[in-house]
Amino acid sequence: MPKYVYDFTEGNKDLKDLLGGKGANLAEMTNLGLPVPPGFTITSEACRRFLEEETLPEGLEEEIAEHLDALESRMGRRLGQADDPLLVSVRSGAKFSMPGMMDTVLNIGLNDESVHGLAKQAGGNERFAWDSYRRLIQMFGKTVQGIDGELFDAALEELKGGRDDLELDAADFQRLVTTYKGIVADQTGENFPADPYLQMRMATKAVFESWNAPRAVVYRRQERIPADLGTAVNICSMVFGNWGMDSGTGVAFTRDPGTGHQGVYGDYLQNAQGEDVVAGIRNTISLQDLEGIDKPVYDELMQIMDKLENHYRDLCDIEFTVERGKLWMLQTRVGKRTPGAAFRIAVQLVDQGMIDIDEALSRVTGAQLAQLMFPRFAKDAESAVITKGMNASPGAAVGKAVFSAERAVELAARGESVVLVSRETTPDDLAGMIAAQGVLTSRGGKTSHAAVVARGMGKTCVCGAEELEVSAAERRFTAPGGIVVSEGDVISIDGTSGAVYLGEVPVVASPVMEYFEGSGEVGDEDELVQAVHRVMSHADASRRLEVRANADNAEDSARARRFGAQGIGLCRTEHMFLGDRRRLVEDLVLATSSEERERALAALKPLQEADFTEIFQEMDGLPVTIRLIDPPLHEFLPDYTELSVKVALAGDRAEEKDRKLLAAVKRLHEQNPMLGLRGVRLGLVIPGLFAMQVRAIAEAAKAVPGAHAEVMIPLVGAVQELEHVKEEAQKILAEVGVEALIGTMIEVPRAALTAGQIAEAAQFFSFGTNDLTQMTWGFSRDDVEAAFFSKYLELGVFGVSPFETLDRDGVGRLVLLAVEEGRKTRPDLKLGICGEHGGDPDSIHFCHQAGLDYVSCSPFRIPVARLEAGRAALIRTGADTR
Amino acid sequence: MPKYVYDFTEGNKDLKDLLGGKGANLAEMTNLGLPVPPGFTITSEACRRFLEEETLPEGLEEEIAEHLDALESRMGRRLGQADDPLLVSVRSGAKFSMPGMMDTVLNIGLNDESVHGLAKQAGGNERFAWDSYRRLIQMFGKTVQGIDGELFDAALEELKGGRDDLELDAADFQRLVTTYKGIVADQTGENFPADPYLQMRMATKAVFESWNAPRAVVYRRQERIPADLGTAVNICSMVFGNWGMDSGTGVAFTRDPGTGHQGVYGDYLQNAQGEDVVAGIRNTISLQDLEGIDKPVYDELMQIMDKLENHYRDLCDIEFTVERGKLWMLQTRVGKRTPGAAFRIAVQLVDQGMIDIDEALSRVTGAQLAQLMFPRFAKDAESAVITKGMNASPGAAVGKAVFSAERAVELAARGESVVLVSRETTPDDLAGMIAAQGVLTSRGGKTSHAAVVARGMGKTCVCGAEELEVSAAERRFTAPGGIVVSEGDVISIDGTSGAVYLGEVPVVASPVMEYFEGSGEVGDEDELVQAVHRVMSHADASRRLEVRANADNAEDSARARRFGAQGIGLCRTEHMFLGDRRRLVEDLVLATSSEERERALAALKPLQEADFTEIFQEMDGLPVTIRLIDPPLHEFLPDYTELSVKVALAGDRAEEKDRKLLAAVKRLHEQNPMLGLRGVRLGLVIPGLFAMQVRAIAEAAKAVPGAHAEVMIPLVGAVQELEHVKEEAQKILAEVGVEALIGTMIEVPRAALTAGQIAEAAQFFSFGTNDLTQMTWGFSRDDVEAAFFSKYLELGVFGVSPFETLDRDGVGRLVLLAVEEGRKTRPDLKLGICGEHGGDPDSIHFCHQAGLDYVSCSPFRIPVARLEAGRAALIRTGADTR
């Protein structure tokens, strides 16, 4: 039989799996000799057994009884003892904190007898005792017995009859206890349990069961927390911060969570309990002022904070209570911090000798770095904030408020900046979202339609700003304080903080972005930039993965190099077919003889060659992987429906050219163009197309000394396809006298499944995980993100869009298989990734573990990729990357 | 060092891998004591080594010399011996016969000296000797030295100067030898090799090298013959059927390859060699007439044929030569036969006690059975045949000839039957092919665009009818004999035989189809039907795979049962949304409130319920797997482009309903509908849709005693999707009080990759290999088959469309993985396949090997599936299924 119960003296901070985060840290503090109210933790293992067997596991009750005996002996009081009762709190505490789970029941141990004993303990304070008793029934009824909390609140309001809490006396609370007991009997058909042991047992079971509360289940699905961890239960002897002015409760940080600077940061509230702080019954005072109120307690707290920071080697946050001048530690954990503080603190701790630089690197994340790279609104604009919503998709957007997608498209077409405001968005709003600078909604959370789609587009979004009343019909919204914003009024929204501003707020460039843009020069003046620089340098020194850029022109190539790219992993040649050159592609498509086709190709070649030459020059000898044309040719032609309408409306007056074009568009029209005539298929079906591109690459490479070209074939699904193209390409390269690797995208599931065969012809693989995700899931990204991804996130089908973070179970499995079998065939096979996942932290860790040689991403994501590649090399598995 | 050379006395028929088909059978006959001209075989192993090392493997020449020595001793003549030369033939002979490989060089051993010795052997026939010599130089020059055959032919024509072959005398041929030697010297820069051993060595190398001739490579790719088998080389002492009227050459069958009846079948040509038969220099005589010419030879041949058939226990075909009254066997093999004969012969051999019924089953194929099920044109219509093309896609089509796709569509729209005639088809002809009864082309082979697309559609097609001159401009074609067929003239084409008929030919139903349609009743009169019945009965008794049908209505269900279906594996509910019911689906799509949506669903439910009730009644307790709605809803609405044009043209006069509908169509329009909002996604996004369907199923099942329903969820890619739907479905089933398994299609690659997870929620898997193929290859079938499959078959990217036969390396790998991991999670998981592959012979063998429980296919393919499932259970691996 496993051990189900650990005294606080028996555990430690590394036992979070078993004792939960709260229990493990309570044990750690106990063992450090800090003043923690005695207690014990029932393990998550017990919870798991309970959930499986639907009854408390054998031996658990005996073990709890033993530990409770010991606790009672130590405290000199027994649970429910009428004259001098021991009271305990029952708190849930899983490995990961989880909304929707039962939180806390305080004051377990009170009943009609022991309430008098509590009054005696409190120096005859009857009011306090009865207030505590009614709080127990209220909390217990709500969280353990599942009674609607409104019933208790209504009874309290009725009792008050307009009076303030403080005007209630002991008799009032005693009456309230009677009323509350009536509610419990009414709602459950049984009396409120007077037996303190029963109270404790029921609360423990309720914590266990709350693991499977619907909100907790959904949250776990979304956050990808395993469903079978279970939660621990902490039983802790009660201490009271509300026994008078020599008592109180507070929270503290060991350093400033905003800047990382050392000092005293926290709040304190005299004569109060933790829940009162949350309820905001009075204003808290600064922790520094505690020194004047109770210097011994203050000094002790400072000592403890110092000890904790040295022990945890990190910023800690702390909850404490002072009971009649005696300090008690109720909780500690490694504290949350802003992205800037994360970098600063990491470097400060290195300088203080508390951690080494490896550890510092492991403590910052790419997500934090990405936030530091966005421009911010000026700080002095705080006064213009009219409300706050959820920070759904980062960035800073300024524009005229509009209240429909049509209007957004209309104004944007005139060159105006707009912010689309809506209660919530639907797939119909897509065009408006694309047209707008940013999106603001009053409903929905981070997985709402607006949030999901905006993140997918990289568009600034604040969602769920619930204080706003949006009226699309009246084209306006109302903010707190009666502020009315009508269509055309300028607003600003901060997708990083969730703030909504009235008027145009000046945007301040990010110093971190300026540092990267300036190719890594650092002055002495900016502590943050220096911290980023030190961490980045170590990441570059540590990482095994190379980082390349996706870039299609000289400008992007130059930026990529400034940001630290070690090559171009994806140069899309079809981007060179756009703009003025569409006419040439039209000629190619409309060609009816091989002469016409060859003429069209000959016209395209010098243009492509010039593009490649510029890129090779810019990259100065670094590898440039050039993908031959990928999309179907009809993408370069007018839209089928629009052109059909145009020609139909023109009737007999339709131009001959439009008629011919329509015939071609109709001929090339595809039901599912993503799965149609594109990529290598085009190359095999249209004579001369790939040959023209390869010749342009070869001649450009020959013209630029040291140019390092790699030719990449898209959409290969069978080695035979690649063999045909490779043979032709090698002949051309040999003719021009240029050497270049020839490889393939792995983006069709079959390519991954037959990678062992394909590696016989391919000198490198580049995983095109955008298309691979589309085909592995059967998701056309253009269609599905707007249509149902928010629903899928809400239902927990996935915790994050598989287009954002690589889906390890499905797509990742194909990648691993292709890596293994490709390398088996060709041990020196070069492996990279060029889908958008190449810039996503979690996906980068996966790429490192999978043994890829490089990741390639858009230039702006290169710093994040460098950082995470460095972290991946240090943290082998299960790293927290968000 | 392996043994590279086998004397004919050393091999046997089971050594085809090593000796090739021809060599193995020559050895077998030698060992049976039959009169085979002595010789030996150089193994395919030697060929493989030669191709790897680019030189004859060590020891091979010595081994050849030894065997040649022995041959020379036995024959009493030496190769090239001036006065009495031994001549040999050098023939290629791979495991599979392969067009494009070097075939044969005869008369090796002749030179300026031995030609005289040959004349002496031939009783002083100088003309014969010089003719043989010039034949050697010509064949050798062409096939071994790669000289253009036209050069030799031209020289011969010039020499003849209008005379007939027979008018040429010895001196003419001697002059021709000189001319030919000049051509060789001219073309190769070297003299024709006089050394017989060099001749033999060069011929052997040429056979080896022809393994990699371009046409052979393409053929292997298409036929999926491994590229590394290599070919054997047979060196055989020459015998001559052209030494006078007491000599001759012939071919024979041990029984009638058309009916299987025993008797004497074959042809004989006096004073001739095999190549003369092929060239058709004179008319052959019936083999039976040989009895009158040379009774001893005839009797010996009859004895030998009897011996061979008893030995091979099958119909054999034979090539033989008579040299001055002495019979020589040159080749034998198991003979080809018509589909009907295959069944008859198999059963006849059982009755004769030569094979058992298992063996009989293994000797017929589903492809043969399928051919027997098609209707045929009446036999007495043979006179109407105007030409023959390739039998590209089976069936019998009758209609007016049309010469453009537009015209085909136009006439078909008027209700006329048409046959589309064209030189070759292109993707632009697709609509015309769909509209036509059949397709006839004058160009292109079985992998041409017309052939591939027609087979994909199950449309009758004759292609490559090269005698036809097609003029699309003049809307007519000309057939041999000056027959002109103009647009509107009726023609008939037979896709099973390749015959093209003028006029309407009456179609005769297939007796085998009538047998199946009549639910298996057999009269005594029809030998073929009886044979089919016996083989089918044994297949049913032998197979482990169940066979189910894809059927969506009562009529198909009834047919499926007559054909032997053991249940319905795929009942598509969306087929019930078509026709009049589209209006109800429109209501569902246009619903703007949940009330409207519920009303629309409520209207659909009784219709669905009635459909299910009929099907359950028809299937009488057999399992019926019902798939919830799969396609995107916009499939039930008008086409986006057509409706846009209609509304645009109507302008202000457009109907309100059309405007609303257009808005909905636009909203639901998808870039890639195959990968969009469909299947389980619809079920999760549209409240009540799946619930309506499940309730209709449950209530129908409750109403029909013994009904056996299984609920199948389409397009699942993640177990979470299935969990949500299953929970709702189980609640409804419980409410109605009906039990039903709940399972899923495996048709998205991710479903296969996470089958272990999905099996936690699924009680059965049904592999939807149509969609799985589309997504695994990235092929939208609607788009790619017409656009480039013929090109891909021509290039050998695949040997058969992956939509016809399951692609084992890619799609098959996913299936195997899902079977293994699904069963690991849930050992009693039921597994089936319901893609079109469920009726394809090769794919059925795969399904058997993969351990599936059933295949499901269209009703008409059920007999084929039953047969092949039976064969699969007997023939474990590598069965020939075509």
mmCIF file of all heavy atoms in Angstrom, chain B residues 46 71 83 176 192 280 326 513 597 660 699 742 788 855:
data_model
loop_
_atom_site.group_PDB
_atom_site.id
_atom_site.type_symbol
_atom_site.label_atom_id
_atom_site.label_comp_id
_atom_site.label_asym_id
_atom_site.label_seq_id
_atom_site.Cartn_x
_atom_site.Cartn_y
_atom_site.Cartn_z
ATOM 1 N N ALA B 46 24.104 -13.488 -62.565
ATOM 2 C CA ALA B 46 25.253 -13.007 -63.338
ATOM 3 C C ALA B 46 24.941 -11.643 -63.946
ATOM 4 O O ALA B 46 25.799 -10.749 -63.975
ATOM 5 C CB ALA B 46 25.611 -14.008 -64.434
ATOM 6 N N LEU B 71 28.724 -28.816 -74.343
ATOM 7 C CA LEU B 71 27.734 -28.770 -75.409
ATOM 8 C C LEU B 71 28.345 -29.222 -76.725
ATOM 9 O O LEU B 71 27.774 -30.030 -77.468
ATOM 10 C CB LEU B 71 27.181 -27.342 -75.525
ATOM 11 C CG LEU B 71 26.090 -27.103 -76.588
ATOM 12 C CD1 LEU B 71 24.838 -27.930 -76.302
ATOM 13 C CD2 LEU B 71 25.731 -25.614 -76.667
ATOM 14 N N ASP B 83 34.221 -26.620 -91.046
ATOM 15 C CA ASP B 83 33.608 -27.607 -91.923
ATOM 16 C C ASP B 83 32.257 -28.088 -91.425
ATOM 17 O O ASP B 83 31.413 -28.537 -92.202
ATOM 18 C CB ASP B 83 34.562 -28.798 -92.102
ATOM 19 C CG ASP B 83 34.926 -29.411 -90.755
ATOM 20 O OD1 ASP B 83 34.776 -28.704 -89.704
ATOM 21 O OD2 ASP B 83 35.352 -30.575 -90.702
ATOM 22 N N LEU B 176 24.876 -9.545 -100.358
ATOM 23 C CA LEU B 176 24.215 -8.837 -99.248
ATOM 24 C C LEU B 176 25.071 -8.907 -97.981
ATOM 25 O O LEU B 176 25.183 -7.935 -97.227
ATOM 26 C CB LEU B 176 22.831 -9.447 -98.997
ATOM 27 C CG LEU B 176 21.848 -8.616 -98.153
ATOM 28 C CD1 LEU B 176 21.655 -7.220 -98.760
ATOM 29 C CD2 LEU B 176 20.502 -9.318 -98.014
ATOM 30 N N PHE B 192 32.701 -6.510 -88.618
ATOM 31 C CA PHE B 192 31.779 -7.442 -87.974
ATOM 32 C C PHE B 192 32.615 -8.545 -87.331
ATOM 33 O O PHE B 192 33.517 -9.099 -87.941
ATOM 34 C CB PHE B 192 30.829 -8.039 -89.016
ATOM 35 C CG PHE B 192 29.881 -9.040 -88.405
ATOM 36 C CD1 PHE B 192 28.782 -8.623 -87.672
ATOM 37 C CD2 PHE B 192 30.125 -10.409 -88.544
ATOM 38 C CE1 PHE B 192 27.932 -9.544 -87.093
ATOM 39 C CE2 PHE B 192 29.271 -11.336 -87.953
ATOM 40 C CZ PHE B 192 28.173 -10.895 -87.229
ATOM 41 N N GLY B 280 4.416 -13.839 -91.128
ATOM 42 C CA GLY B 280 3.266 -14.222 -91.953
ATOM 43 C C GLY B 280 3.605 -14.435 -93.414
ATOM 44 O O GLY B 280 2.867 -14.024 -94.303
ATOM 45 N N LYS B 326 12.599 -34.691 -87.405
ATOM 46 C CA LYS B 326 12.898 -34.866 -85.969
ATOM 47 C C LYS B 326 12.239 -33.721 -85.188
ATOM 48 O O LYS B 326 12.410 -32.538 -85.537
ATOM 49 C CB LYS B 326 14.433 -34.849 -85.804
ATOM 50 C CG LYS B 326 14.936 -34.588 -84.411
ATOM 51 C CD LYS B 326 14.964 -35.869 -83.571
ATOM 52 C CE LYS B 326 15.498 -35.583 -82.163
ATOM 53 N NZ LYS B 326 14.525 -35.894 -81.136
ATOM 54 N N MET B 513 -23.693 -12.719 -64.963
ATOM 55 C CA MET B 513 -24.414 -11.680 -64.241
ATOM 56 C C MET B 513 -25.812 -12.168 -63.906
ATOM 57 O O MET B 513 -26.303 -11.939 -62.794
ATOM 58 C CB MET B 513 -24.467 -10.419 -65.094
ATOM 59 C CG MET B 513 -25.206 -9.270 -64.432
ATOM 60 S SD MET B 513 -24.422 -8.760 -62.887
ATOM 61 C CE MET B 513 -23.575 -7.299 -63.459
ATOM 62 N N ARG B 597 -33.545 26.635 -37.357
ATOM 63 C CA ARG B 597 -32.687 25.479 -37.604
ATOM 64 C C ARG B 597 -33.374 24.207 -37.116
ATOM 65 O O ARG B 597 -33.380 23.180 -37.802
ATOM 66 C CB ARG B 597 -31.351 25.672 -36.900
ATOM 67 C CG ARG B 597 -30.319 24.652 -37.306
ATOM 68 C CD ARG B 597 -29.005 24.902 -36.608
ATOM 69 N NE ARG B 597 -29.207 24.934 -35.175
ATOM 70 C CZ ARG B 597 -28.916 25.959 -34.395
ATOM 71 N NH1 ARG B 597 -28.388 27.049 -34.888
ATOM 72 N NH2 ARG B 597 -29.152 25.902 -33.097
ATOM 73 N N LYS B 660 -30.585 36.056 -51.124
ATOM 74 C CA LYS B 660 -30.297 35.443 -49.811
ATOM 75 C C LYS B 660 -29.464 34.177 -49.984
ATOM 76 O O LYS B 660 -28.520 33.913 -49.246
ATOM 77 C CB LYS B 660 -31.605 35.097 -49.080
ATOM 78 C CG LYS B 660 -32.118 36.219 -48.197
ATOM 79 C CD LYS B 660 -33.431 35.869 -47.521
ATOM 80 C CE LYS B 660 -33.272 34.881 -46.363
ATOM 81 N NZ LYS B 660 -34.581 34.608 -45.712
ATOM 82 N N GLU B 699 -34.659 5.341 -33.957
ATOM 83 C CA GLU B 699 -36.089 5.062 -33.997
ATOM 84 C C GLU B 699 -36.439 4.092 -35.123
ATOM 85 O O GLU B 699 -37.315 3.253 -34.974
ATOM 86 C CB GLU B 699 -36.877 6.381 -34.063
ATOM 87 C CG GLU B 699 -36.728 7.121 -32.723
ATOM 88 C CD GLU B 699 -37.428 8.473 -32.647
ATOM 89 O OE1 GLU B 699 -38.023 8.899 -33.654
ATOM 90 O OE2 GLU B 699 -37.342 9.105 -31.559
ATOM 91 N N ILE B 742 -20.671 2.316 -31.959
ATOM 92 C CA ILE B 742 -20.327 3.630 -32.491
ATOM 93 C C ILE B 742 -18.855 3.582 -32.898
ATOM 94 O O ILE B 742 -17.990 3.212 -32.103
ATOM 95 C CB ILE B 742 -20.583 4.730 -31.452
ATOM 96 C CG1 ILE B 742 -22.092 4.783 -31.161
ATOM 97 C CG2 ILE B 742 -20.080 6.080 -31.959
ATOM 98 C CD1 ILE B 742 -22.479 5.750 -30.090
ATOM 99 N N PHE B 788 -3.364 15.005 -64.745
ATOM 100 C CA PHE B 788 -2.014 14.491 -64.967
ATOM 101 C C PHE B 788 -1.800 13.009 -64.683
ATOM 102 O O PHE B 788 -0.667 12.539 -64.720
ATOM 103 C CB PHE B 788 -0.975 15.332 -64.211
ATOM 104 C CG PHE B 788 -1.136 15.325 -62.708
ATOM 105 C CD1 PHE B 788 -0.629 14.302 -61.936
ATOM 106 C CD2 PHE B 788 -1.792 16.361 -62.074
ATOM 107 C CE1 PHE B 788 -0.772 14.313 -60.568
ATOM 108 C CE2 PHE B 788 -1.945 16.378 -60.695
ATOM 109 C CZ PHE B 788 -1.433 15.351 -59.943
ATOM 110 N N VAL B 855 -14.471 -6.327 -46.073
ATOM 111 C CA VAL B 855 -14.368 -5.294 -47.105
ATOM 112 C C VAL B 855 -15.792 -4.935 -47.500
ATOM 113 O O VAL B 855 -16.687 -5.771 -47.460
ATOM 114 C CB VAL B 855 -13.587 -5.773 -48.343
ATOM 115 C CG1 VAL B 855 -12.149 -6.122 -47.985
ATOM 116 C CG2 VAL B 855 -14.255 -6.971 -48.999
#
